[in-house]
Amino acid sequence: MSERFEVAENERGIIRLFSVDLPPEQISAFAEKPLGEENDDTPWPLKEALGAQYLDLDFIELFPITNLTGLGLPGYMVEGLGIAEEDIAEDHARLSSLKGHILIVVSSAFGGFAQTLSPRAPLRWIGTYTEETAPVQFQPLPSETARGNVNTDTKPRPSNAAMSGRVAMAALLVLALLVVVLVWIAG
């Protein structure tokens, strides 16, 4: 496989889809992450086949397409992954005809690290899709009580602690002045 994919630092909302060309009895050994530290160099076949430097198991899915009976892969992509129907419309027939196991890798799997993926067998790239996001809308606040006056010209009132500090400082100055007067009179 000669495809290379650039993963941007802090990438969000990108979903990469691969088929896994392995017999069912080999899937578990391929997908299973070995025990050890998060960033150790223990071989992990799935990570190596993906060509990733960092991969978080919590943000990948590897399962047989037969698990999606009734919904189908296109339906799962729309309903489960949040991809717009129009984004998969062109690939619908191809996605529906896939057999075997599928690997879904979402952006969070890369932990915010920039890297270059160079997938190889047994992975076969199917497509890259973007999660549908709601458009940002700036509308007036719905409640009259949520509306207010933001007046930046007024100074905030001093806190009780600040006022107590000022009174204590004035008392200390009066006492110091009194001590000076007593020392001057006595001397």
Side-chain angles (χ1 to χ4, degrees), residues 152-185:
T152 57
D153 295 339
T154 61
K155 285 185 167 180
R157 188 175 154 280
S159 69
N160 288 340
M163 290 306 291
S164 297
R166 291 176 184 162
V167 169
M169 183 60 80
L172 285 174
L173 286 173
V174 168
L175 284 175
L177 185 59
L178 188 59
V179 168
V180 169
V181 169
L182 287 175
V183 169
W184 181 64
I185 292 176

Side-chain angles (χ1 to χ4, degrees), residues 10 40 47 52 80 93 112 137 149-150 170:
N10 296 315
D40 69 2
K47 180 181 166 189
Q137 297 179 359
N149 238 350
V150 179

Side-chain angles (χ1 to χ4, degrees), residues 15 77-79 81-85 87-88 129-132:
I15 299 167
M77 292 173 69
V78 171
E79 298 296 322
L81 298 174
I83 299 169
E85 278 190 61
D87 290 349
I88 65 164
Y129 303 90
T130 304
E131 288 180 51
E132 186 175 33

Side-chain angles (χ1 to χ4, degrees), residues 47-132:
K47 180 181 166 189
E48 290 174 1
L50 197 54
Q53 288 83 40
Y54 178 90
L55 190 63
D56 187 337
L57 182 62
D58 292 336
F59 297 99
I60 62 173
E61 294 181 67
L62 176 60
F63 57 88
I65 294 176
T66 55
N67 285 2
L68 301 174
T69 303
L71 184 61
L73 183 57
Y76 178 70
M77 292 173 69
V78 171
E79 298 296 322
L81 298 174
I83 299 169
E85 278 190 61
E86 50 273 6
D87 290 349
I88 65 164
E90 189 175 308
D91 297 338
H92 194 279
R94 184 171 57 96
L95 293 169
S96 296
S97 69
L98 290 173
K99 306 279 185 240
H101 284 76
I102 197 82
L103 173 68
I104 298 171
V105 184
V106 298
S107 295
S108 299
F110 305 114
F113 299 108
Q115 53 188 299
T116 301
L117 303 179
S118 50
R120 62 178 190 264
L123 298 180
R124 186 169 41 87
W125 177 69
I126 303 300
T128 301
Y129 303 90
T130 304
E131 288 180 51
E132 186 175 33

